[in-house]
Amino acid sequence: MEETYLLNVEGVKKKILHGGRGELPKLQDGSKMTFHFQTLKDDFERTVIDDSRDAGIPMEIIVGKMFKLEIWETLLSSMRIGEVAEFWCDTIHTGMYALVSRGMRRIAEGRDPLEGQKHRCGMGNMFDYHSTGYDDLDELQRTPQPLIFIMELFRVEEPSAYKRDTWAMSKEEKLAAVPVLHSEGNRLVLRREFKQAAAKYQEAVICLRNLQAKEKPWEDGWLKLESLVTPLVLNYCQCQLELGEYYEVLEHTTELLQKHNDNAKAYFKRAKAHAAVWNEREAREDFMRVAHLDPSMAAAVKKELKQLGERMRKKHVEDRKRYQGLFQSRQGL
């Protein structure tokens, strides 16, 4: 089991560290492979670059879904369930590792893995980065090198055996999922389950954003998808208003208005968020934009402005009393 041998793939060596069980799994497009991995440099110290156990979450790959590091699908397809194996991969297979690792690290940190990525193919994006944001990955970009992957395969599931994550769906599956998720979100809103509804709207937006990434911005295909995204984002923001997540509303509505500066509903929700966090000037400006863009909302705007005025007057009275009390207490010292 310790003997090193070549896979039937150029530039790859495999060593089984712990034997698996049963036969090699029968894989098909859509099968999901779940595994832990460790990535090491091929140096004297065998320097560890990444270890999925540090994040506490196993890695998943969907067969046939064009994972950027294509060699991983090949490596895993040579393994049995429960097997632990070490693979040495030459530079021809590791050139994309820095980009893949950057995305995985961002996900583990709770950040957007596509943040800052331009609308280009994966390799093109890699050359666009002045820095990945991680010194060790910058080094790999500058000097591509062989890497060692230690993998432990836990399970293989057929496409019908698990709930498909949105990123693993085909274009047709994503488009079909969006109205279902939208409807589920609406039903949850009626039950005032705003957190769960927001999650449904967010998942639908992710489906559409993934599809938009394959379209040229502001061309017909992109615009059609954007027309579906906008109401979902507004519904999501309404849920966040109900949940008191006002700064998140400010972030998403501002981003939306940067693309669509005539959207009265986005201004209205942003105005309510500004009002909630005492940004009186910004709230009034946004409410006035709403009335200008959509006269049918004038009555609602008037009501909101009246409530804002009452809240601000009450706050000013309370602040004045608080400062007077503080001033008097200091005089008594």
Side-chain angles (χ1 to χ4, degrees):
M1 301 292 269
E2 293 295 325
E3 184 180 356
T4 300
Y5 62 93
L6 290 172
L7 282 171
N8 190 26
V9 181
E10 180 185 359
V12 175
K13 297 178 183 179
K14 177 180 178 181
K15 179 165 60 177
I16 297 177
L17 304 180
H18 184 277
R21 57 185 181 275
E23 302 295 323
L24 287 174
K26 294 181 180 179
L27 302 174
Q28 58 179 297
D29 278 2
S31 295
K32 180 165 74 173
M33 298 183 285
T34 303
F35 61 99
H36 267 306
F37 75 93
Q38 192 177 48
T39 304
L40 304 90
K41 288 186 177 181
D42 184 23
D43 57 14
F44 180 77
E45 295 83 6
R46 287 168 64 93
T47 305
V48 176
I49 300 172
D50 289 307
D51 189 334
S52 61
R53 287 181 175 81
D54 289 344
I57 303 173
M59 183 71 182
E60 296 175 348
I61 284 182
I62 307 297
V63 174
K65 292 301 179 183
M66 300 294 289
F67 184 66
K68 286 188 176 68
L69 201 64
E70 294 179 18
I71 193 62
W72 273 16
E73 187 173 315
T74 302
L75 304 183
L76 290 162
S77 67
S78 76
M79 299 176 68
R80 293 171 170 81
I81 304 299
E83 180 178 323
V84 182
E86 177 178 306
F87 299 90
W88 177 91
C89 294
D90 204 352
T91 308
I92 59 172
H93 300 297
T94 62
M96 291 294 292
Y97 185 75
L99 182 60
V100 171
S101 176
R102 177 183 186 271
M104 292 188 295
R105 291 183 187 186
R106 283 180 171 273
I107 291 171
E109 294 165 3
R111 300 163 66 189
D112 181 358
L114 300 178
E115 181 183 321
Q117 184 165 308
K118 296 184 179 180
H119 183 77
R120 293 177 60 183
C121 67
M123 187 61 75
N125 278 314
M126 191 170 183
F127 291 121
D128 278 331
Y129 294 134
H130 297 294
S131 170
T132 62
Y134 305 94
D135 291 342
D136 56 341
L137 299 184
D138 288 345
E139 179 192 347
L140 289 181
Q141 281 197 162
R142 288 191 297 269
T143 56
Q145 56 195 269
L147 295 174
I148 297 167
F149 302 113
I150 299 176
M151 295 178 158
E152 180 179 1
L153 181 61
F154 292 130
R155 60 181 174 271
V156 174
E157 299 169 89
E158 297 309 311
S160 60
Y162 65 94
K163 182 181 182 295
R164 305 287 292 280
D165 292 327
T166 52
W167 64 266
M169 294 178 180
S170 66
K171 177 179 179 179
E172 293 72 21
E173 289 171 330
K174 287 186 175 78
L175 287 172
V178 167
V180 175
L181 291 166
H182 197 160
S183 178
E184 289 175 352
N186 292 347
R187 283 199 296 271
L188 287 164
V189 166
L190 290 174
R191 299 210 300 261
R192 301 192 65 77
E193 296 177 19
F194 298 113
K195 186 174 182 179
Q196 295 86 339
K200 295 294 183 182
Y201 296 136
Q202 186 177 45
E203 188 175 354
V205 170
I206 290 170
C207 283
L208 294 169
R209 292 297 190 206
N210 287 341
L211 293 174
Q212 271 191 316
K214 298 177 176 63
E215 302 285 345
K216 290 185 178 180
W218 303 105
E219 293 196 356
D220 287 346
W222 189 93
L223 288 170
K224 287 178 181 177
L225 293 168
E226 185 69 13
S227 69
L228 299 175
V229 167
T230 300
L232 288 163
V233 172
L234 291 173
N235 286 358
Y236 175 82
C237 288
Q238 183 59 41
C239 290
Q240 298 305 319
L241 281 174
E242 297 287 352
L243 293 167
E245 299 291 344
Y246 304 119
Y247 288 103
E248 185 158 356
V249 176
L250 292 175
E251 177 184 347
H252 287 285
T253 51
T254 298
E255 181 181 351
L256 186 62
L257 288 165
Q258 287 171 350
K259 299 176 185 175
H260 312 287
N261 61 5
D262 60 348
N263 191 302
K265 291 182 179 179
Y267 279 118
F268 189 78
K269 295 183 192 305
R270 190 171 75 171
K272 287 178 70 69
H274 274 309
V277 295
W278 307 105
N279 296 337
E280 182 181 11
R281 179 179 59 80
E282 293 87 347
R284 290 187 180 279
E285 288 176 355
D286 279 353
F287 278 132
M288 295 309 294
R289 287 194 187 99
V290 173
H292 174 72
L293 289 168
D294 187 352
S296 69
M297 298 181 70
V301 166
K302 184 177 180 181
K303 178 181 178 182
E304 292 290 340
L305 286 172
K306 181 180 179 182
Q307 291 178 350
L308 175 62
E310 291 172 351
R311 287 183 69 238
M312 294 308 301
R313 281 192 292 274
K314 183 177 180 181
K315 182 177 185 295
H316 292 326
V317 170
E318 291 174 351
D319 287 347
R320 192 159 51 247
K321 288 180 178 178
R322 187 180 304 113
Y323 294 142
Q324 286 176 347
L326 180 62
F327 178 73
Q328 289 171 355
S329 65
R330 286 183 175 178
Q331 281 188 322
L333 292 177

